[in-house]
Amino acid sequence: MTVLTCASTGKSITLLGEPIADSGEGKVWRTNHNGYLAKMYHSQTPERVQKLAVMIAHRPKEPNSHLNHISFAWPKSVLKDAQGDCVGFLMPEIKEAKELIDVYNPSKRKALKLDVDWRFLHTTALNIASIIEAIHISGYVLGDIKQQNILVNDRALPSIIDTDSFQVRNPVNGKIYRCPVGSPDYTPPELIDKDFSSIDQTEVHDRFRLGVIIYQLLLGGQTPFAGKWIGAGATPETNELIRRGLWLYAPNSLIQPVERTTPLEIVHPEVQRCFLRCFNDGYKNPNLRPTAGDWVKALRLAVNELTICGKLDSHYYSQTYGKCYWCDRSTKLGTDIFPGFVRPKQQSAVVESTSQFKTFATDKTLENIAIAGQIHTLQGHSSSVYSVAFSPDGKTLASGSDDKTIKLWDVTTGREIYTLQGHSSYVHSVAFSPDGKILASGSDDKTIKLWAMTTGGRIRTIEAHPDSVRSVAFSPDGKTLASGSFDKTIKLWDVITGKQICTIQAHSSWVNSVAFSPDGKTLASGSHDKTIKLWDVTTGRKIRTIQVHSDSVRSVAFSPDGKTFASGSDDKTITLWDVTIGRQIYTIHVHSDWVCSVAFSTDGKTLASGGCGDIKLWDIATGAQIHAFQGHYFSVAFSPDGKILASGSGDKTIKIWQVASLPSVTSNITTTLFSVQPTQSQVSQSSFDMPILWCYLLLLFVFFGFVSFVSGFVVGFVVCIMGIGCCWRFYRWFWRGKI
């Protein structure tokens, strides 16, 4: 038993059992510290010690720390023997993952019974590119990118190992510690037969290696340098083909596709262009090869345009290609490299990696992509997304779907964190508590479920209503939860105990939406009975009924200051109300169909509305349209900082939109698409107000004449003034305040 000392902590590290890996440089051992391995060098050199010191002091930023995922097995600490000499280093262990070749090679996948589809492989490629981009940004060159050095878990999250072989540059003095090794089939043409220990490499060389890895992932495990040789003599070795720039799609190539070759044309056009730049343009000018960041952009487009086959749910194909290549291929060749499997149902509420690695669940793939001011599409749900909600800190987005699940997404990266399962029917509504610790969900299964965000575990299930729960909302203090249901009632619940506080017999038809005012004193509800009602939360009594829509009210929302109230309806309109005086401000007629959702920005200056087919942003002060997004509609939600908007839709996706500094489209709106309708309080004197007022004045004139005749002029004048005052007060109350 070997006992070493961890240089950074001074603690003892014991090597356990036998080595689990052996390479030319050293052996890898398990240790008595769970989650950590030790790499012990066969022979140590001063340069290795210096290189490790630089790596430990300048670790690249971990892009997946929020997922508790290790993207690279980076040296954590030097290990010393009893004499105080450096003999190796401590590094994190990558658990429950397979070598990359096991994932992209169809035969190995089949032998291991890995449930992997083309979307999983796209996402893996995308995540590899994003991790390598992070490494390059930190100034490192991988040098030896190869299939054995990349492990992949069941969420399509890669981990790069053997990091001590990287080329390292000391940022303090500029000294370079080279990568002394390279792998055949992954070496760029300009480095073939070169001595790596004497060459300072750059990220341009990594670009070639990355291109080969992505090609293998997307094109059936094949290398770009494999095919039918039509030149003279025997087929050259792969390195010779690379040296000569001969690959399947090189100009005048001497390699031709065979029957089993997966054609380049099936991948997204942007990905095709990256391959051509890498192996054609980059052959003569290596600087023209796409960077890791270029691959990230292209692969993100490719992932977003994948669609599922109508015949087999294990088949994905690019919309730009237009048909399922994998179905055609299996029919032609008699074998399917993405056969459909019956996936086991997950029992836990949170989707996590299992302790025994058995299968890759492709619905757990995570995309390591930053939003960076662009439209971002989140894929993972298998049916319509009915509701989206941001956590109070703006870091997490929750989505509820027709597929009976709730998914939590990292807003910064656009990646799925985990899936909450437990509802037996559609999830119509999700809402975060004000402190962000609890998520509430309402479902067609008639229940409300409360989830703990720190663990993802279910706190409790509330058997809430005898019919579908359509909407849930937390009070501002987080102590009360309101629910609206198809049973026409609203119920208030104690969040701590889960007990019912009261039931409000609210509407004559189902309740579609509930919302608390910012002070928590008022609850608004929108119903299929075409009305909006305001309720006193303390007493449960109705404050007023608002009847302005001509069809079902789908959504209600209060402005952040509580002074304005918005509603969206099936009558294609949005209406804004002044809450303090109970007056309608204006009505916007603009959507071509139902208004499914409305939401205020945090500064209260902008309103977002989701209509069937589009999302629109409105200036609250003027009612003018600011911007429009096409294609999404079920649910909209602003982030707490108001800079981004999330939307869920019937296309099974969530989209995140950058809304800060958007160009206005108001000038393009015509009166047929946008009109602010005058309310009853804004109608001209030719309608209601003036005729009624003249009737009052006429009656007062008659009354004045009668009193003057009986009591004299002075008394009659006083009575008349008092009467006019009373009538004016009545007029203001009845016509200006009536709703």
Side-chain angles (χ1 to χ4, degrees):
M1 183 172 65
T2 304
V3 180
L4 306 168
T5 301
C6 177
S8 61
T9 65
K11 294 182 179 180
S12 296
I13 303 293
T14 303
L15 305 186
L16 304 178
E18 298 295 324
I20 60 174
D22 191 355
S23 67
E25 293 183 327
K27 296 179 179 180
V28 178
W29 303 71
R30 297 193 187 278
T31 73
N32 61 330
H33 283 251
N34 185 36
Y36 287 96
L37 302 176
K39 182 170 183 177
M40 306 297 294
Y41 289 116
H42 296 311
S43 62
Q44 187 57 283
T45 65
E47 181 144 326
R48 270 193 184 139
V49 176
Q50 295 169 13
K51 182 178 183 179
L52 284 174
V54 174
M55 293 183 74
I56 292 168
H58 303 283
R59 177 187 173 89
K61 183 179 180 181
E62 169 58 72
N64 297 308
S65 58
H66 61 291
L67 295 172
N68 295 318
H69 178 72
I70 301 167
S71 297
F72 25 76
W74 204 259
K76 183 176 178 61
S77 175
V78 167
L79 294 177
K80 296 183 177 182
D81 60 13
Q83 289 72 43
D85 296 328
C86 174
V87 292
F89 64 91
L90 194 68
M91 62 182 175
E93 181 181 8
I94 308 301
K95 298 180 179 181
E96 300 177 358
K98 292 291 185 184
E99 286 189 2
L100 191 67
I101 191 172
D102 294 330
V103 176
Y104 71 63
N105 183 280
S107 298
K108 288 183 175 291
R109 279 204 309 266
K110 183 177 181 180
L112 294 169
K113 298 181 179 179
L114 300 183
D115 185 5
V116 169
D117 56 33
W118 209 38
R119 178 173 175 264
F120 187 100
L121 296 177
H122 270 75
T123 307
T124 301
L126 185 150
N127 288 339
I128 290 172
S130 67
I131 291 172
I132 291 178
E133 182 184 26
I135 293 172
H136 285 167
I137 289 172
S138 297
Y140 293 97
V141 176
L142 280 72
D144 192 21
I145 303 177
K146 57 184 179 181
Q147 58 194 13
Q148 296 93 331
N149 286 351
I150 302 175
L151 307 180
V152 184
N153 71 9
D154 64 345
R155 296 182 294 169
L157 289 173
S159 300
I160 297 176
I161 60 173
D162 199 24
T163 59
D164 61 308
S165 68
F166 285 7
Q167 177 177 287
V168 175
R169 180 182 179 276
N170 190 329
V172 177
N173 57 24
K175 181 176 180 179
I176 293 177
Y177 302 92
R178 293 169 178 148
C179 172
V181 293
S183 298
D185 304 346
Y186 295 93
T187 301
E190 63 272 21
L191 296 185
I192 296 291
D193 295 334
K194 294 291 184 9
D195 179 7
F196 293 110
S197 64
S198 63
I199 296 174
D200 292 343
Q201 298 190 48
T202 70
E203 57 91 17
V204 169
H205 301 127
D206 278 352
R207 295 183 195 178
F208 178 89
R209 302 171 177 120
L210 176 59
V212 176
I213 289 290
I214 294 173
Y215 192 97
Q216 290 174 313
L217 276 164
L218 302 189
L219 295 166
Q222 301 158 348
T223 173
F225 307 99
K228 181 181 179 181
W229 175 252
I230 59 173
T235 305
E237 295 291 331
T238 301
N239 271 5
E240 180 60 25
L241 294 173
I242 292 174
R243 186 208 304 273
R244 295 168 60 181
L246 297 176
W247 71 297
L248 283 169
Y249 302 97
N252 304 314
S253 178
L254 296 177
I255 302 176
Q256 298 296 316
V258 296
E259 188 178 40
R260 291 182 177 273
T261 299
T262 304
L264 186 63
E265 64 184 12
I266 73 167
V267 300
H268 191 278
E270 286 301 315
V271 175
Q272 292 181 40
R273 278 188 275 274
C274 281
F275 283 128
L276 295 174
R277 284 173 56 196
C278 184
F279 302 122
N280 284 345
D281 302 339
Y283 173 66
K284 295 181 179 179
N285 186 347
N287 289 308
L288 295 180
R289 294 169 187 154
T291 65
D294 292 336
W295 279 110
V296 166
K297 293 175 184 177
L299 288 165
R300 185 176 71 177
L301 289 173
V303 170
N304 287 343
E305 292 198 16
L306 290 177
T307 187
I308 197 165
C309 172
K311 296 180 181 179
L312 279 177
D313 63 0
S314 59
H315 285 184
Y316 282 84
Y317 63 91
S318 177
Q319 295 177 24
T320 56
Y321 184 65
K323 60 180 180 178
C324 182
Y325 166 77
W326 309 111
C327 281
D328 294 343
R329 186 181 191 277
S330 62
T331 300
K332 180 179 179 181
L333 301 179
T335 59
D336 190 348
I337 66 172
F338 296 120
F341 290 96
V342 178
R343 300 173 184 169
K345 295 183 178 179
Q346 296 159 341
Q347 301 300 318
S348 61
V350 184
V351 173
E352 299 175 337
S353 300
T354 59
S355 58
Q356 297 297 318
F357 188 101
K358 293 181 180 179
T359 182
F360 279 7
T362 56
D363 58 352
K364 297 191 287 184
T365 56
L366 303 179
E367 298 174 23
N368 183 23
I369 295 299
I371 297 169
Q374 300 178 6
I375 294 175
H376 191 72
T377 301
L378 310 181
Q379 294 183 321
H381 283 294
S382 59
S383 193
S384 299
V385 180
Y386 285 141
S387 181
V388 290
F390 281 95
S391 62
D393 62 7
K395 296 180 180 179
T396 305
L397 182 75
S399 58
S401 170
D402 202 358
D403 65 9
K404 309 176 188 178
T405 72
I406 301 146
K407 291 183 183 287
L408 298 179
W409 310 84
D410 183 282
V411 174
T412 303
T413 63
R415 295 167 50 181
E416 182 184 332
I417 301 171
Y418 45 65
T419 299
L420 306 178
Q421 292 185 322
H423 284 293
S424 59
S425 192
Y426 315 150
V427 179
H428 284 290
S429 182
V430 290
F432 279 97
S433 61
D435 62 7
K437 294 180 180 180
I438 299 174
L439 181 76
S441 57
S443 169
D444 219 36
D445 65 10
K446 310 174 187 178
T447 71
I448 299 167
K449 294 184 186 292
L450 301 182
W451 312 84
M453 287 299 92
T454 53
T455 63
R458 193 185 314 159
I459 299 172
R460 68 172 51 88
T461 296
I462 301 172
E463 301 294 336
H465 291 268
D467 210 331
S468 173
V469 180
R470 305 293 291 184
S471 181
V472 291
F474 280 95
S475 62
D477 63 7
K479 295 179 180 180
T480 305
L481 183 74
S483 60
S485 169
F486 261 23
D487 66 8
K488 310 175 189 177
T489 71
I490 300 166
K491 294 191 178 187
L492 300 182
W493 308 89
D494 185 296
V495 174
I496 302 299
T497 65
K499 293 182 179 179
Q500 182 177 321
I501 299 171
C502 68
T503 297
I504 301 172
Q505 301 297 328
H507 290 271
S508 60
S509 189
W510 57 71
V511 180
N512 290 321
S513 180
V514 291
F516 279 96
S517 62
D519 62 8
K521 296 179 180 179
T522 305
L523 182 73
S525 59
S527 170
H528 191 65
D529 65 10
K530 309 176 187 178
T531 70
I532 303 154
K533 295 189 179 184
L534 302 183
W535 308 89
D536 185 299
V537 174
T538 304
T539 64
R541 292 180 179 177
K542 182 173 65 180
I543 299 171
R544 63 169 57 93
T545 298
I546 300 171
Q547 292 180 301
V548 66
H549 289 292
S550 60
D551 209 332
S552 178
V553 179
R554 290 265 181 165
S555 181
V556 292
F558 280 96
S559 63
D561 61 8
K563 296 179 180 179
T564 307
F565 174 84
S567 59
S569 170
D570 281 6
D571 65 8
K572 310 176 187 178
T573 70
I574 304 159
T575 302
L576 267 74
W577 296 84
D578 187 313
V579 176
T580 55
I581 61 175
R583 283 176 53 183
Q584 184 179 343
I585 302 172
Y586 51 70
T587 296
I588 302 172
H589 291 261
V590 67
H591 283 286
S592 59
D593 213 323
W594 304 340
V595 180
C596 300
S597 181
V598 291
F600 281 93
S601 61
T602 46
D603 61 7
K605 296 179 180 179
T606 306
L607 181 75
S609 61
C612 280
D614 57 7
I615 296 167
K616 298 191 177 183
L617 303 181
W618 309 94
D619 186 296
I620 296 297
T622 64
Q625 183 178 323
I626 299 171
H627 205 79
F629 302 113
Q630 299 298 318
H632 262 222
Y633 53 89
F634 272 154
S635 180
V636 292
F638 276 101
S639 62
D641 62 8
K643 294 181 180 179
I644 59 176
L645 183 78
S647 62
S649 183
D651 65 1
K652 310 175 188 178
T653 70
I654 301 107
K655 291 194 177 183
I656 296 179
W657 315 82
Q658 185 75 25
V659 296
S661 304
L662 284 172
S664 175
V665 296
T666 306
S667 59
N668 296 327
I669 301 298
T670 65
T671 54
T672 58
L673 293 177
F674 173 84
S675 61
V676 178
Q677 302 298 322
T679 67
Q680 210 164 36
S681 62
Q682 297 169 320
V683 178
S684 67
Q685 293 181 356
S686 62
S687 56
F688 281 120
D689 295 15
M690 292 310 295
I692 293 173
L693 182 58
W694 280 115
C695 288
Y696 283 135
L697 292 177
L698 179 61
L699 290 173
L700 285 173
F701 180 80
V702 173
F703 181 73
F704 171 80
F706 175 78
V707 172
S708 298
F709 176 80
V710 175
S711 304
F713 180 83
V714 175
V715 176
F717 179 79
V718 173
V719 171
C720 182
I721 294 300
M722 292 175 63
I724 290 174
C726 291
C727 287
W728 181 249
R729 286 174 63 86
F730 176 81
Y731 165 80
R732 282 180 60 83
W733 171 80
F734 186 80
W735 291 107
R736 302 283 180 156
K738 188 177 186 296
I739 56 177

